[in-house]
Amino acid sequence: MRIKAAVIGAGSWGTTVANLLVQNVPTILWAREAGLAEQISTTHRNERYLPGFTLDARLAATADLEEAVCSADLLVMGVPSHGFRDTLEAVSPCIRAWVPVVSLAKGLEQGTNKRMTEIIQEVLPGHPYGVLTGPNLAKEILAGHAAASVLAMSDATIATRLQDLFATELFRVYTNDDVIGCELGGALKNVMAIASGMADGLGTGDNTRAAVITRGLAELTRLGMAMGGKPMTFAGLAGMGDLLATCISPQSRNRHVGEQLGRGRRIEEIIEEMHMVAEGVKTAPVVMELAERYGVEMPIAEQVFNVVHRGRPAEEAYRGLLRRRRVREMHGLD
C-alpha cells in the first residue's frame, strides 16, 4: 500500500516540508486561503511565504480540510502554536484511526503551557505522535542547500519508517527517542534567538553573541532536563543546531524581532509589519511560568520577557545580565 501524506499549513516551513515529502510519496498541502491553494496547485509557487521559489509540480494544495485529511496515512501539522489546537480539533472528525501525527510547530501553548505533542495526545488519543525539528531554514532547503533534521516519535518503529519519507538526497533525517527534549529545544531556542538579535541590534560584537548563544543553550538545557528531556538531545540538532541557525541567520524571524528591539523599536510595530509568526514572542511568558514551576534559573529568557512584554529597553536588559551574581559555568547542569 502506498502511503499518502497531508501537510496542514501552507506557511514557509509547512510548504517546504510538503515539497520534501512529495518527492517520496503523494502529498497534499492544506492552505487556509483558497487563493493560495490554487496558486500552489496551478503555478507551483507560494508567493506569499516563499517568493521566487518554484515548488515540485507534483505537489497539490487545497483549502478543503476534509479533502486533505480523509485519505491521509500521515498527518503533518505545520500551523503555529497559537492555532494548533483549534486546527487539530477541526481535523479530528476526518482523520482515520492510528494515522501518525507529526508536529512542525516550535512553540508552546499559551494558557496551558503544553507542548504540541501533548495537545495531539489530548485531541487525538491513540495516534502515534512526534515532532520534526532542527536547524531548518525553509528558503535554504528550497534553494537546494544540504540540511539535517531530527524526527522524534512516540513509537521508534514508526519513526524509522517515516524517516525515509522526509529524507531526500540533500535533507538528512535522524531519529531520536526523546520527544520531550526535541520539542522543547525547538520551542525554547526562539526566546534565545530574540536575545541574540537584541545583541546585534545594540551593535555588540561576536564575543557577546557567542556568550548569549552558549549561555542560552545552558538555560534551555536546564529547563529541558527539568521537564524530562535528555541532556544529550540539547547538544544535537534539536538543541545546539537549531539554536545556532536561529540566533545567527538573517532569515530568522525571532532574531529579526530581537534586532529591531535592540534598535529601540516597539514590539507592536515590529509584529505589525511581519506576516509570519515569531514564536519566541508568544513563548517567552510561557517559559517564565515553566521556569518558576520547575525552579529553574533562566536570566536571559527573563530579560527577553521583560523587553518584549514589559517594555524594558534592550540595553538595560543586557546591563542587568552583567550584574548577575557569579556562579559556576555548569551551574544547574551537573
Side-chain angles (χ1 to χ4, degrees), residues 48-75:
R48 178 173 174 80
Y49 295 105
L50 295 164
F53 289 94
T54 300
L55 305 171
D56 194 303
R58 293 168 292 183
L59 180 61
T62 179
D64 185 327
L65 200 56
E66 184 175 352
E67 179 187 356
V69 175
C70 68
S71 63
D73 304 298
L74 166 65
L75 181 67

Side-chain angles (χ1 to χ4, degrees), residues 141-185:
I141 292 171
L142 283 180
H145 300 306
S149 194
V150 174
L151 178 65
M153 297 291 300
S154 57
D155 185 307
T157 301
I158 292 176
T160 302
R161 294 187 64 183
L162 295 183
Q163 183 178 20
D164 291 337
L165 302 190
F166 289 100
T168 68
E169 288 185 4
L170 294 172
F171 188 69
R172 184 172 176 82
V173 179
Y174 295 85
T175 59
N176 191 318
D177 61 1
D178 183 12
V179 176
I180 295 174
C182 286
E183 197 164 18
L184 287 173

Side-chain angles (χ1 to χ4, degrees), residues 91-329:
V91 161
S92 60
C94 314
I95 190 170
R96 293 180 293 115
W98 308 114
V99 170
V101 183
V102 176
S103 169
L104 304 180
K106 295 181 177 180
L108 300 166
E109 186 177 47
Q110 290 184 298
T112 67
N113 298 348
K114 291 186 175 181
R115 296 174 285 107
M116 300 303 104
T117 56
E118 291 180 296
I119 298 173
I120 294 170
Q121 293 172 71
E122 285 184 7
V123 178
L124 297 174
H127 286 257
Y129 59 85
V131 57
L132 181 72
T133 186
N136 303 143
L137 297 162
K139 292 180 180 179
E140 290 189 5
I141 292 171
L142 283 180
H145 300 306
S149 194
V150 174
L151 178 65
M153 297 291 300
S154 57
D155 185 307
T157 301
I158 292 176
T160 302
R161 294 187 64 183
L162 295 183
Q163 183 178 20
D164 291 337
L165 302 190
F166 289 100
T168 68
E169 288 185 4
L170 294 172
F171 188 69
R172 184 172 176 82
V173 179
Y174 295 85
T175 59
N176 191 318
D177 61 1
D178 183 12
V179 176
I180 295 174
C182 286
E183 197 164 18
L184 287 173
L188 301 179
K189 57 88 185 180
N190 286 324
V191 179
M192 305 307 164
I194 294 177
S196 180
M198 287 196 299
D200 292 339
L202 288 166
T204 62
D206 292 336
N207 289 337
T208 305
R209 181 191 293 121
V212 169
I213 293 173
T214 307
R215 296 312 303 163
L217 177 64
E219 285 191 25
L220 68 86
T221 301
R222 283 199 297 265
L223 182 58
M225 289 170 59
M227 294 178 65
K230 300 178 181 179
M232 285 306 297
T233 296
F234 302 100
L237 290 167
M240 173 58 88
D242 203 1
L243 180 67
L244 279 173
T246 312
C247 283
I248 67 178
S249 173
Q251 298 178 50
S252 165
R253 299 191 288 271
N254 292 282
R255 179 196 166 277
H256 170 78
V257 168
E259 184 178 22
Q260 297 304 305
L261 288 168
R263 292 177 179 177
R265 298 184 65 195
R266 295 185 303 110
I267 187 64
E268 293 81 8
E269 62 178 324
I270 299 169
I271 297 300
E272 186 177 353
E273 70 183 18
M274 298 174 66
H275 64 268
M276 289 189 282
V277 175
E279 287 276 17
V281 173
K282 294 180 180 295
T283 302
V286 178
V287 169
M288 286 295 90
E289 292 177 15
L290 290 171
E292 182 177 1
R293 181 194 302 176
Y294 288 94
V296 175
E297 287 187 80
M298 300 194 72
I300 296 176
E302 182 178 3
Q303 294 301 336
V304 170
F305 172 75
N306 287 337
V307 173
V308 172
H309 294 279
R310 292 182 173 171
R312 188 178 185 185
E315 187 173 4
E316 184 181 325
Y318 268 82
R319 286 200 299 269
L321 286 171
L322 293 174
R323 289 195 296 266
R324 288 188 65 245
R325 66 185 178 91
R326 294 170 177 81
V327 297
R328 296 179 301 108
E329 184 183 21

